[in-house]
Amino acid sequence: MRVWIDADACPRAAKDLVIKFALKRRFEVLLVAGQSQVRPAFACVRLIVVPSGPDAADDYLVEHAAPGELVICSDIPLADRLFKKGVAALDPRGREFDERNMGERLALRNLLSDLRDQGQAGGGQPPYGERERQAFACALDRLLVRLSR
């Protein structure tokens, strides 16, 4: 079992939680980033730094993650590409990407992107707090159990 993390955009609290689960359940964690990061000093964690460029980390994740594995990412187009390949995807706020919500999430993302481009919307996601961490922990546990069957 391997869990991949789009490490550039993932909150540290979510990365730490995945590593905690990995130490307990004995699976490998692969941090994929476009820039060098501090790699936690655990044998189950590997840092993969890809060449910089648009979507380089996304392309690496799509190419290397396999069906039955999990990718932690908040990038909706990336999650769509993974989902179509049979790879499970979960955002750091505990929302799973699946067939029931992928179309809606892509449409909403595109709408908000268009509104931002027109200057009619701004900002991003709210801060990552304890509520988001708890939702992520519950969803991660549920997905890991399902994928290990």
Side-chain angles (χ1 to χ4, degrees):
M1 173 71 178
R2 296 187 304 181
V3 174
W4 300 79
I5 300 176
D6 184 359
D8 290 324
C10 188
R12 182 183 176 115
K15 287 185 237 180
D16 291 346
L17 193 59
V18 172
I19 293 167
K20 182 178 176 181
F21 273 73
L23 292 168
K24 183 178 178 183
R25 297 182 184 191
R26 300 183 187 270
F27 60 81
E28 185 179 15
V29 177
L30 298 111
L31 304 169
V32 179
Q35 57 191 4
S36 186
Q37 298 188 1
V38 175
R39 183 188 71 82
F42 299 106
C44 65
V45 181
R46 191 166 52 133
L47 174 64
I48 301 164
V49 179
V50 297
S52 62
D55 298 326
D58 295 2
D59 293 341
Y60 187 92
L61 286 162
V62 171
E63 184 178 335
H64 291 89
E69 295 179 336
L70 173 61
V71 175
I72 309 300
C73 67
S74 51
D75 185 310
I76 297 168
L78 168 60
D80 185 51
R81 291 171 64 194
L82 292 163
F83 173 73
K84 288 175 180 171
K85 186 180 172 186
V87 177
L90 177 68
D91 83 3
R93 295 173 180 270
R95 297 176 297 228
E96 183 178 359
F97 296 94
D98 60 25
E99 68 277 352
R100 296 180 318 253
N101 65 22
M102 188 55 72
E104 177 184 327
R105 290 180 80 170
L106 277 169
L108 180 59
R109 180 241 181 227
N110 292 337
L111 172 65
L112 292 175
S113 179
D114 289 345
L115 290 174
R116 276 191 298 275
D117 290 346
Q118 296 171 12
Q120 296 181 23
Q125 293 193 32
Y128 193 82
E130 186 57 31
R131 178 184 298 166
E132 291 79 12
R133 186 184 171 286
Q134 284 294 332
F136 178 66
C138 291
L140 179 62
D141 181 52
R142 187 176 54 251
L143 261 171
L144 290 172
V145 167
R146 190 176 82 214
L147 291 170
S148 66
R149 291 183 185 157

